[in-house]
């Protein structure tokens, strides 16, 4: 489908900006492993502090890249499946807000005035521009949702008994989750943190801020994940040469994410003493529940790929696995998605450990946790995003992929790096290795009294994985920017591989309507969070003065 020049430029900018910043994000990811392995025994290198780099790594990779991509991909899915472009004024307003907010936050971080990590927990205090920029990025990402809903309503009036295209359903579910969860963090930033950063308030309620952040923070994981799920259900079977085993299974999985994504955030606060055991128990149950759509997806995709493999000539029980286009450079998106799915198996299993109250106490605040979420965020999320960014770049510019044989290797090289890297982090975490800590200053410095030689193997393993991931990232940048500078050889258009459903499943109104699911989502959120918020307001304690990395004594 051809798109207007305006929409094409918006999508390309929304891809170019985060991928360019990603160079800085991946560099600082490598530097984290270098610091933690004890290669550097100081607080900074190349005039960038450890925590400054950790903040840049987290914010660019986990917030900027994911938000820009989700909006760009949403524009593509809505336009392609509903055959109508979003409003021009809305798309440009959204883009300007997001780019301006990103630049403001980037200035604060690069200037060393916002080394508060991507969680920006108080009493760590950032420059006001960091909070203003974050708020602008969030508000900018809200604009497309309301515009897409107008496009969807118009389509629905014209097609009252037609199934909502699965990709459109996924996009709208994702941004309804995003809008709901970001209301809390917008309140946190604008009402609690910004007045405090500007000096209008002397203290801040730390536990309330943490609770509002995690109302947003865990749902953010599904905001990252759902674009990948859309690709898995609507594109992966087609690219593999088969069909989607069940369209309704995809709808059930997506609506279950709508119900359960937001209310599970309390499991990040299992160690907070001023939240009741009952609230934590509810969060545990809901977190186990959110594994259900992942199991549904695992079964559905396995069945879809088995059909593809057998259609390609496979025989025997597992012969289909060898008949998939792993290294076909013309179907390179398969590699980006299958490598992410392999990592997601391990990410999901380790996530079940984190959701258990008892087991979480063993790994809490250890390097196990970043080992887990790199298998999810740096697995299916990251690989699907960078693969589709390359796909959309090629389609919208009419340029063929630069070095296609190198491109098809990138996801597998990245997968190997993540497996090694995360194994090192989780191995160290089980031995008590802390997260968010410059180990090279103390624990991995042989000349320091706190030296822990038992963490040397785990940090070196993580370093080896980090180096492989960095190499894969550099290969990707060569392909991405090389494609930008190639000559146009084909007509520019948006074409998304659309998987045909294996079963002609009956139209079920419940799976084609948002209203009942949104009502249930609100009810579950109230059950999960009203008691938690009351606990925090009642037992939050006195407000905290600011804590700056340069001044260990609060308030000085």
């Amino acid at each position: 489908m051809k798109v207007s020049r305006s929409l094409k430029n918006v999508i390309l900018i929304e891809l170019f900006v985060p991928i360019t910043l990603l160079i800085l994000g991946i560099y600082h990811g490598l530097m984290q492993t270098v610091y933690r392995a004890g290669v550097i025994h100081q607080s900074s290198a190349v005039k960038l502090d450890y925590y400054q780099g950790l903040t840049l790594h987290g914010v660019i990779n986990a917030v900027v890249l994911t938000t820009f991509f989700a909006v760009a991909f949403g524009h593509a899915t809505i336009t392609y499946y509903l055959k109508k472009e979003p409003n021009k004024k809305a798309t440009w307003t959204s883009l300007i807000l997001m780019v301006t907010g990103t630049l403001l936050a980037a200035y604060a971080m690069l200037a060393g005035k916002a080394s508060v990590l991507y969680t920006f927990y108080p009493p760590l205090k950032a420059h006001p521009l960091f909070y203003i920029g974050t708020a602008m990025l969030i508000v900018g990402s809200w604009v497309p949702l309301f515009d897409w809903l107008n496009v969807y309503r118009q389509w629905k009036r014209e097609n009252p008994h037609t199934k909502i295209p699965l990709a459109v359903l996924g996009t709208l579910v994702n941004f309804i989750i995003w809008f709901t969860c970001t209301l809390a963090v917008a309140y946190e930033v604008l009402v609690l943190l910004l007045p405090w950063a500007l000096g209008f308030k002397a203290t801040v309620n730390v536990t309330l801020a943490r609770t509002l952040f995690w109302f947003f923070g865990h749902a953010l994981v599904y905001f990252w994940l759902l674009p990948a799920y859309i690709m898995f259900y609507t594109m992966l079977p087609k690219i593999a040469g088969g069909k989607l085993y069940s369209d309704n299974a995809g709808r059930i999985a997506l609506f279950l994410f709508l119900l359960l994504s937001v209310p599970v955030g309390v499991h990040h606060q299992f160690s907070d003493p001023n939240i009741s055991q009952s609230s934590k128990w509810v969060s545990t149950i809901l977190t186990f529940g959110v594994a259900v759509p992942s199991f549904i997806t695992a079964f559905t995709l396995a069945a879809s790929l088995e059909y593809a493999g057998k259609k390609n000539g496979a025989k025997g029980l597992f012969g289909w696995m060898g008949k998939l286009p792993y290294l076909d450079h013309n179907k390179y998106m398969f590699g980006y998605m299958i490598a992410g799915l392999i990592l997601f198996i391990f990410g999901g299993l380790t996530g079940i450990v984190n959701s258990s109250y008892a087991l979480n106490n063993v790994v809490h605040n250890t390097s196990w946790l970043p080992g887990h979420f790199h298998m999810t965020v740096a697995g299916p999320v990251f690989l699907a995003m960078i693969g589709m960014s390359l796909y959309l770049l090629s389609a919208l510019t009419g340029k063929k992929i630069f070095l296609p044989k190198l491109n098809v290797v990138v996801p597998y090289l990245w997968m190997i790096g993540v497996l090694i890297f995360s194994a090192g982090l989780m191995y160290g975490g089980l031995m008590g290795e802390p997260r968010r800590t410059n180990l090279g200053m103390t624990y991995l410095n042989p000349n320091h009294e706190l030296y822990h030689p038992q963490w040397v193997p785990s940090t070196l393993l993580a370093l080896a994985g980090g180096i492989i991931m960095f190499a894969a990232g550099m290969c990707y940048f060569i392909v991405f920017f090389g494609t930008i500078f190639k000559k146009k050889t084909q007509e520019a258009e948006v074409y998304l591989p659309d998987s045909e459903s294996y079963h002609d499943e009956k139209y079920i109104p419940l799976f084609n309507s948002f209203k009942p699911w949104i009502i249930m989502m609100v009810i579950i959120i109230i059950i999960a969070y009203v008691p938690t918020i009351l606990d925090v307001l009642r037992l939050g304690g006195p407000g905290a003065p600011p804590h700056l990395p340069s001044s260990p004594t609060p308030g000085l």
Side-chain angles (χ1 to χ4, degrees), residues 14-32:
E14 287 171 344
L15 299 176
F16 180 80
V17 169
I19 294 297
T20 302
L21 289 173
L22 187 62
I23 299 172
L24 192 60
I26 287 182
Y27 162 75
H28 282 293
L30 173 66
M31 289 304 296
Q32 299 306 304

Side-chain angles (χ1 to χ4, degrees), residues 36 365-368 424-425 428-429 431-435 439 455 458-459:
R36 290 179 61 85
N365 266 347
T366 70
S367 59
W368 168 281
L425 286 177
M431 296 190 296
E433 181 186 311
R435 66 189 295 203
L439 301 181
W455 292 341
S458 59
T459 54

Side-chain angles (χ1 to χ4, degrees), residues 410-555:
V410 168
Y412 302 109
L413 185 61
W414 180 268
M415 178 186 71
I416 292 168
V418 172
L419 287 171
I420 296 171
F421 170 77
S422 292
L425 286 177
M426 289 189 289
Y427 170 43
L430 292 174
M431 296 190 296
E433 181 186 311
R435 66 189 295 203
R436 294 172 170 167
T437 304
N438 183 357
L439 301 181
M441 289 283 288
T442 51
Y443 301 119
L444 269 297
N445 183 351
N447 298 319
H448 199 280
E449 60 184 4
L450 295 177
Y451 179 57
H452 279 46
Q454 71 271 26
W455 292 341
V456 171
S458 59
T459 54
L460 288 178
L461 191 61
L463 174 60
I467 291 171
I468 296 171
M469 292 167 68
F470 181 78
M474 293 305 104
C475 291
Y476 175 78
F477 293 132
I478 291 170
V479 174
F480 184 87
F481 292 103
T483 302
I484 289 177
F485 292 108
K486 284 193 74 172
K487 290 184 179 180
K488 180 179 177 180
T489 57
Q490 56 199 30
E491 192 170 353
E493 61 180 0
V494 172
Y495 169 74
L496 300 177
D498 190 13
S499 301
E500 180 185 351
S501 184
Y502 181 74
H503 300 282
D504 184 19
E505 295 169 306
K506 182 180 178 181
Y507 176 90
I508 301 176
L510 181 63
F511 298 150
N512 286 275
S513 175
F514 289 95
K515 186 175 180 179
W517 298 95
I518 292 174
I519 292 171
M520 286 189 283
M521 176 188 72
V522 172
I523 292 171
I524 295 172
I525 290 173
I526 290 172
I527 292 171
Y529 262 99
V530 167
T532 300
I533 296 294
L534 291 176
D535 284 341
V536 168
L537 292 176
R538 184 169 57 91
L539 304 170
H547 171 90
L548 301 175
S550 58
S551 176
T553 305

Side-chain angles (χ1 to χ4, degrees), residues 249-515:
R251 294 171 190 275
I252 294 169
L254 291 169
F255 278 128
L256 285 176
F257 278 124
L258 182 63
L259 295 184
L260 300 173
S261 293
V262 177
V264 301
V266 175
H267 78 228
H268 288 270
Q269 297 177 270
F270 279 158
S271 64
D272 287 14
N274 47 4
I275 295 177
S276 68
Q277 296 288 342
S278 58
S279 293
K280 294 173 183 177
W281 179 82
V282 169
S283 180
T284 298
I285 298 302
L286 292 173
T287 305
F288 285 138
V290 87
V292 173
S294 294
F295 285 127
I296 292 172
T297 301
F299 172 82
T300 306
L301 294 183
S304 302
L305 294 177
E306 181 180 1
Y307 174 81
K310 290 187 174 180
K311 191 177 176 183
N312 294 337
K315 296 181 180 180
L317 186 60
F318 297 109
W320 60 272
M321 293 183 179
K323 290 290 185 177
L324 299 174
Y326 298 103
L327 295 174
D328 185 342
H329 64 263
N330 293 316
K331 297 181 177 180
Y332 63 87
M333 278 301 298
F334 181 85
Y336 280 94
M337 286 190 267
I338 198 68
L341 281 169
I342 292 169
L343 287 171
F344 197 37
I345 293 170
F346 300 100
L349 292 174
T350 54
I352 292 174
V353 172
N354 303 342
S355 65
S356 167
Y357 181 74
L359 293 176
N360 183 76
N361 286 335
V362 177
V363 298
H364 178 69
N365 266 347
T366 70
S367 59
W368 168 281
L369 295 175
H372 151 70
F373 65 66
H374 275 84
M375 284 185 173
T376 54
V377 181
V381 171
F382 182 75
L383 286 174
M385 286 185 176
I386 64 172
M388 183 50 63
S389 294
L390 191 59
Y391 182 91
L392 289 174
L393 171 68
S394 176
L396 290 170
T397 59
K399 300 175 180 180
K400 291 186 177 180
I401 300 297
F402 182 67
L403 297 179
K405 291 184 179 179
L406 175 63
N407 179 43
V408 80
V409 173
V410 168
Y412 302 109
L413 185 61
W414 180 268
M415 178 186 71
I416 292 168
V418 172
L419 287 171
I420 296 171
F421 170 77
S422 292
L425 286 177
M426 289 189 289
Y427 170 43
L430 292 174
M431 296 190 296
E433 181 186 311
R435 66 189 295 203
R436 294 172 170 167
T437 304
N438 183 357
L439 301 181
M441 289 283 288
T442 51
Y443 301 119
L444 269 297
N445 183 351
N447 298 319
H448 199 280
E449 60 184 4
L450 295 177
Y451 179 57
H452 279 46
Q454 71 271 26
W455 292 341
V456 171
S458 59
T459 54
L460 288 178
L461 191 61
L463 174 60
I467 291 171
I468 296 171
M469 292 167 68
F470 181 78
M474 293 305 104
C475 291
Y476 175 78
F477 293 132
I478 291 170
V479 174
F480 184 87
F481 292 103
T483 302
I484 289 177
F485 292 108
K486 284 193 74 172
K487 290 184 179 180
K488 180 179 177 180
T489 57
Q490 56 199 30
E491 192 170 353
E493 61 180 0
V494 172
Y495 169 74
L496 300 177
D498 190 13
S499 301
E500 180 185 351
S501 184
Y502 181 74
H503 300 282
D504 184 19
E505 295 169 306
K506 182 180 178 181
Y507 176 90
I508 301 176
L510 181 63
F511 298 150
N512 286 275
S513 175
F514 289 95
K515 186 175 180 179

